[in-house]
Amino acid sequence: MVSWRGIFPALSTPTNRKGELDEESLRSEVEWNIKWGAHGLAVSIIAGEFYKFTENERMRIFEITVDEANGKVPVLAGISHSGTEPAVMMGKYAKDIGADGLIVMPPYFRKEISNVEILQHFREIAGKIDLPIMIQDAEDAIGIHMCPTLYMNLLDEFSNIVAVKVEGRDTLQKISDIKRLLDDRLIIFGGMAARLIFQELALGASGNIPDACLTDLLVKVYDNIQLGKIDAAQEIYAKYKLWLDFLSSHSTSSAEIEKETLRLRGIIRCSHTRGPNVSLSPKEKEELKEILARIDLI
């Protein structure tokens, strides 16, 4: 049994100006997210640009994150891959080095993939790796639809499939459907940079997996919601939304915005982002800096 709840930030993957993994900055990011009150960490998922890093690099990222977290919070290792066997290989490695769980999307190379293939993919992972698993249902990002009955089939077979991260245009409807069909059998997390965190939690979600650069604000939002202090939560969220609106209006640069935010806050050394990426202009970086200063974060 797991009791994942709260804010589990999706770590950015910092690199130096040459595009090489910056291990010291990653350790700093882990350390600061824990200081900010993160209830858990998700590593090597979409916000961490997993698709730009090799399997060996991703496994090293698992190692660093687990080592730096040192059991203070659960670490979910992202093993999403276009193939089942590489995902299983990375998942086994994550278990061996002490990760607390896995987070994984369906194979994302073919948008026309069948439910049979999706089920086979998750069955292989769940059957071969004895760790709790969160399914990442990111239909808008990968174009693959999964319905709640698919989750139900997997839950009936595997006790280690315990959670789902739901994100996309139909997030709120899907959360409602999951609660109606599965009640509390499946832990639900939202995503999408916490755009819908109030609505998700009201519908029965247990938490959210946002970006990892403003975790301190979102932990306060979550904690106040849990205490029933909705006005206080909304006041804090209004600050966060200034940054979120900037992110939304520069969506092709989202990874760099998250890293530049971390850099401006003194957490990582460089906001270099591997391609493909649309770089922020000097003017846009200055605008981001002004937003962070306005909300007293730098």
Side-chain angles (χ1 to χ4, degrees):
M1 295 293 293
V2 298
S3 55
W4 297 336
R5 301 185 66 83
I7 302 300
F8 280 47
L11 299 177
S12 294
T13 307
T15 60
N16 61 25
R17 295 188 183 279
K18 295 180 180 179
E20 300 162 335
L21 179 63
D22 183 346
E23 298 190 1
E24 184 177 336
S25 285
L26 178 57
R27 287 186 181 276
S28 175
E29 186 183 358
V30 171
E31 177 187 5
W32 274 99
N33 271 274
I34 293 172
K35 283 182 180 179
W36 286 334
H39 303 92
L41 301 171
V43 60
S44 195
I45 62 174
I46 293 174
E49 306 166 281
F50 75 89
Y51 46 91
K52 299 179 184 178
F53 291 83
T54 67
E55 288 92 343
N56 286 338
E57 286 175 316
R58 292 173 69 184
M59 291 188 291
R60 179 59 182 153
I61 292 163
F62 297 166
E63 287 178 10
I64 294 165
T65 305
V66 169
D67 180 65
E68 192 64 34
N70 195 28
K72 294 172 186 172
V73 296
V75 173
L76 308 188
I79 61 167
S80 295
H81 202 286
S82 55
T84 303
E85 284 76 11
V88 170
M89 180 268 292
M90 288 191 295
K92 287 181 176 179
Y93 187 79
K95 177 177 171 24
D96 290 344
I97 56 98
D100 300 283
L102 305 175
I103 178 167
V104 56
M105 295 190 295
Y108 51 84
F109 180 71
R110 290 172 44 237
K111 291 182 173 59
E112 72 279 8
I113 191 169
S114 68
N115 278 344
V116 171
E117 291 170 291
I118 294 172
L119 286 168
Q120 181 190 47
H121 182 72
F122 283 108
R123 282 170 177 149
E124 284 289 305
I125 294 168
K128 291 182 177 178
I129 307 166
D130 185 20
L131 277 179
I133 295 170
M134 177 183 288
I135 297 169
Q136 184 171 6
D137 185 345
E139 182 173 352
D140 286 4
I142 63 174
I144 295 173
H145 176 72
M146 290 189 288
C147 62
T149 54
L150 186 147
Y151 310 150
M152 187 164 56
N153 290 336
L154 289 168
L155 284 173
D156 289 342
E157 290 186 56
F158 299 100
S159 61
N160 58 331
I161 293 182
V162 300
V164 61
K165 180 191 182 192
V166 182
E167 50 193 339
R169 284 166 290 181
D170 298 325
T171 288
L172 300 181
Q173 182 60 55
K174 186 166 280 190
I175 290 174
S176 296
D177 292 342
I178 293 168
K179 295 299 291 185
R180 178 172 50 83
L181 288 173
L182 298 171
D183 195 19
D184 293 327
R185 291 179 62 197
L186 195 64
I187 298 166
I188 302 170
F189 271 67
M192 298 192 299
R195 285 175 175 83
L196 301 173
I197 188 170
F198 288 90
Q199 300 95 316
E200 291 163 354
L201 294 176
L203 288 171
S206 294
N208 189 276
I209 300 181
D211 307 314
C213 51
L214 298 178
T215 301
D216 42 349
L217 291 183
L218 289 174
V219 166
K220 291 174 185 175
V221 170
Y222 174 85
D223 287 346
N224 275 289
I225 292 173
Q226 298 308 302
L227 292 170
K229 298 179 179 180
I230 305 303
D231 289 344
Q234 290 175 336
E235 184 177 344
I236 298 164
Y237 191 83
K239 296 181 179 180
Y240 174 75
K241 193 171 183 301
L242 292 174
W243 177 88
L244 180 61
D245 288 344
F246 180 85
L247 181 76
S248 299
S249 63
H250 300 81
S251 58
T252 55
S253 306
S254 59
E256 185 175 338
I257 291 169
E258 292 152 20
K259 292 179 183 180
E260 180 66 4
T261 300
L262 288 165
R263 189 192 69 81
L264 288 167
R265 300 192 72 187
I267 311 303
I268 68 174
R269 293 182 290 199
C270 178
S271 60
H272 180 274
T273 302
R274 287 183 179 181
N277 176 61
V278 177
S279 296
L280 293 172
S281 68
K283 181 179 178 181
E284 289 166 336
K285 287 184 178 182
E286 187 61 30
E287 183 181 350
L288 175 60
K289 184 178 180 179
E290 289 172 1
I291 290 170
L292 295 175
R294 183 177 171 187
I295 56 180
D296 299 320
L297 292 180
I298 59 173

